[in-house]
Amino acid sequence: DGASCCGAKEFIKLYAYALVNHPVAVILDLDSLILKPLDDLIDSIILGEVEALEARKRLPLHGDLELPKKIDAFYTRDYNMVNPGGEEYAGVQGGFLMLRPSEE
């Protein structure tokens, strides 16, 4: 379809939401490189707001963003796909997605 790197095949990643027997699902493209432990991200999803307070403090946030009380997913932005002077916001980069599985 030409709209993205791999077109409709990218939607297979949404199957991770159906993995409800697991507290967290992580989707990584084969060309992803993880440079730091994911523990604080996982704790921020699994634990409640109070229990995950220390983990949330260690998360690097852009600007003055605040995290919601309940976190259902983390993802990365695709800043390489933004056209200078064109799009105002970067889209979601599908190479990394961490989420709380749910069919709701």
Side-chain angles (χ1 to χ4, degrees), residues 56 93 95:
R56 289 171 177 239
Q93 205 289 331

Side-chain angles (χ1 to χ4, degrees), residues 23-42:
V24 173
V26 179
I27 295 94
L28 291 173
D29 280 357
L30 289 175
D31 61 350
S32 297
L33 179 62
I34 303 298
L35 299 174
K36 295 183 178 182
L38 301 175
D39 298 19
D40 289 337
L41 294 173
I42 293 169

Side-chain angles (χ1 to χ4, degrees), residues 25-97:
V26 179
I27 295 94
L28 291 173
D29 280 357
L30 289 175
D31 61 350
S32 297
L33 179 62
I34 303 298
L35 299 174
K36 295 183 178 182
L38 301 175
D39 298 19
D40 289 337
L41 294 173
I42 293 169
D43 288 347
S44 295
I45 290 177
I46 294 176
L47 302 176
E49 182 183 15
V50 175
E51 294 88 350
L53 189 59
E54 290 304 313
R56 289 171 177 239
K57 286 180 183 178
R58 290 188 293 268
L59 296 177
L61 300 176
H62 291 278
D64 56 351
L65 296 175
E66 290 187 29
L67 294 171
K69 290 183 179 188
K70 181 181 178 188
I71 298 173
D72 290 318
F74 285 107
Y75 56 87
T76 53
R77 296 282 188 178
D78 198 347
Y79 293 101
N80 293 325
M81 297 298 288
V82 176
N83 297 324
E87 300 175 36
E88 190 172 333
Y89 301 101
V92 173
Q93 205 289 331
F96 172 83
L97 177 63

